[in-house]
């Protein structure tokens, strides 16, 4: 495995606005949706941003920083795990598994890792959901992913982590995942966390990239003179993607924790509900049709940390 000291891979500087104002993950974004606690999202006066500067600045297709570190397997033909280790001297061994849907949460995961003194091993691969022993067939057969998952599973059995963090996109995989995680828990894994999979927007919102993301980008390119309220979008079902599968596993395994987070980006008490605000606390949640921006997931650190603490996965909360 590739051991990387967390200090050697500090987060890249967040973009500054035309007025030299910097994005702050603990001021913007979900920080404007906090209710009585980090478990209670409620809209506030600064939640639904109508105009002005927003982050990320015109970067609809940004990837998480750890892609640039060489820690994500991007080539579909590659079936060899990289296994980067962030903070190898950490007191708790944590492994991040899955595709980009799990990897998109890395800005929040690494912030929590720093707080909790985690050693984080990364096993993520493009389009490769972690479901070893069950072939990937949708949208097409993906034997390289199947081989990758087999190798990762063997690594987990050889060196059992304390915590697994993952996310899933196949809603039909619940029974199989239950068996996989039951076996890993029996081998010594203390907790498996399935983080809510951003289920995207309704299909009629536009093909490919989310209409909301492109709408916001156009306003940014026009010197922020437009109205973001014209970009509000319809949310997908909470059982879309792999959320249904993770909910099923959660009901069958005491040590599996499904963490739903959709209400933070689509508050049920917002003035546009049941639609979702396109910009929240001056942060754009979507970078494309199914993935979240780095700024948004970084601002989600406290809600995710609170949920993990409530479920007994972490020793502390935000």
């Amino acid at each position: 495995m590739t051991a990387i000291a967390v200090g050697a891979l500090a987060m890249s500087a967040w973009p500054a606005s035309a007025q030299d104002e910097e994005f702050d993950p603990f001021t913007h974004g979900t920080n404007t949706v906090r209710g009585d606690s980090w478990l209670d999202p409620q809209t506030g006066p600064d939640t639904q941003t109508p105009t002005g500067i927003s982050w990320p600045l015109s970067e609809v297709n940004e990837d998480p920083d750890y892609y640039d570190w060489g820690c994500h397997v991007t080539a579909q033909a590659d079936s060899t795990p990289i296994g980067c280790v962030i903070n190898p001297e950490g007191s708790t061994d944590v492994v991040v598994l899955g595709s980009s849907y799990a990897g998109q949460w890395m800005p929040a995961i690494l912030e929590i890792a720093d707080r909790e003194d985690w050693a984080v091993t990364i096993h993520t691969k493009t389009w490769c959901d972690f479901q070893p022993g069950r072939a990937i067939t949708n949208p097409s057969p993906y034997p390289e992913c199947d081989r990758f998952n087999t190798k990762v599973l063997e690594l987990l059995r050889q060196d059992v982590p304390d915590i697994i963090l993952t996310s899933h996109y196949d809603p039909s995989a619940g029974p199989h995942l239950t068996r996989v995680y039951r076996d890993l828990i029996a081998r010594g894994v203390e907790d498996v966390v399935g983080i809510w999979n951003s289920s995207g927007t309704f299909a009629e919102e536009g093909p490919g990239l989310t209409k909301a993301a492109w709408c916001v980008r156009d306003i940014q390119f026009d010197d922020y003179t437009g109205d973001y309220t014209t970009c509000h979008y319809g949310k997908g079902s909470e059982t879309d993607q792999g959320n249904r599968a993770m909910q099923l596993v959660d009901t069958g395994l005491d040590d599996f924790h499904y963490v739903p987070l959709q209400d933070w980006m689509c508050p049920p008490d917002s003035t546009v509900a049941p639609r979702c605000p396109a910009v929240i606390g001056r942060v754009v949640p979507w970078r494309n049709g199914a993935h979240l921006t780095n700024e948004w997931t970084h601002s989600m650190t406290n809600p995710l940390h609170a949920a993990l603490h409530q479920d007994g996965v972490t020793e502390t909360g935000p």
Side-chain angles (χ1 to χ4, degrees), residues 71-90:
C71 296
H72 178 78
V73 180
T74 56
Q76 291 198 354
D78 192 348
S79 62
T80 302
I82 296 172
C84 285
V85 183
I86 312 300
N87 188 30
E89 302 302 320

Side-chain angles (χ1 to χ4, degrees), residues 120-291:
V120 179
T121 302
I122 305 170
H123 287 305
T124 61
K125 174 174 166 59
T126 296
W127 282 104
C128 189
D129 200 23
F130 181 71
Q131 47 181 37
R134 185 174 188 261
I136 302 291
T137 59
N138 186 20
S140 61
Y142 193 1
E144 297 87 355
C145 174
D146 303 335
R147 290 193 288 270
F148 177 85
N149 281 333
T150 297
K151 294 174 184 177
V152 169
L153 180 60
E154 183 59 30
L155 290 173
L156 295 175
R157 288 173 171 173
Q158 292 174 4
D159 187 7
V160 179
D162 299 308
I163 300 170
I164 290 174
L165 303 178
T166 188
S167 188
H168 290 280
Y169 66 74
D170 186 344
S172 68
H176 180 79
L177 294 173
T178 300
R179 293 190 291 271
V180 170
Y181 291 129
R182 180 180 289 118
D183 173 71
L184 289 171
I185 290 168
R187 292 173 184 270
V189 174
E190 296 177 6
D191 295 286
V192 181
V193 178
I195 305 175
W196 170 75
N197 187 339
S198 53
S199 51
T201 61
F202 288 144
E204 61 265 27
E205 294 294 327
L209 296 175
T210 309
K211 180 181 178 181
W214 283 108
C215 177
V216 171
R217 184 207 63 171
D218 291 343
I219 291 173
Q220 291 177 327
F221 281 172
D222 196 26
D223 294 327
Y224 306 94
T225 58
D227 183 355
Y228 295 133
T229 63
T230 63
C231 305
H232 297 333
Y233 62 94
K235 67 178 180 179
S237 168
E238 292 191 24
T239 59
D240 281 353
Q241 305 286 343
N243 295 312
R244 184 172 66 194
M246 290 187 288
Q247 289 168 350
L248 189 151
V249 181
D250 189 36
T251 63
L253 294 177
D254 290 339
D255 295 318
F256 185 95
H257 313 273
Y258 171 60
V259 180
L261 298 169
Q262 189 168 13
D263 284 352
W264 288 92
M265 64 183 304
C266 197
D269 66 340
S270 77
T271 60
V272 300
R275 294 175 69 76
C276 311
V279 181
I280 297 178
R282 300 177 66 186
V283 177
V284 186
W286 294 101
R287 68 179 168 95
N288 59 30
H291 296 86

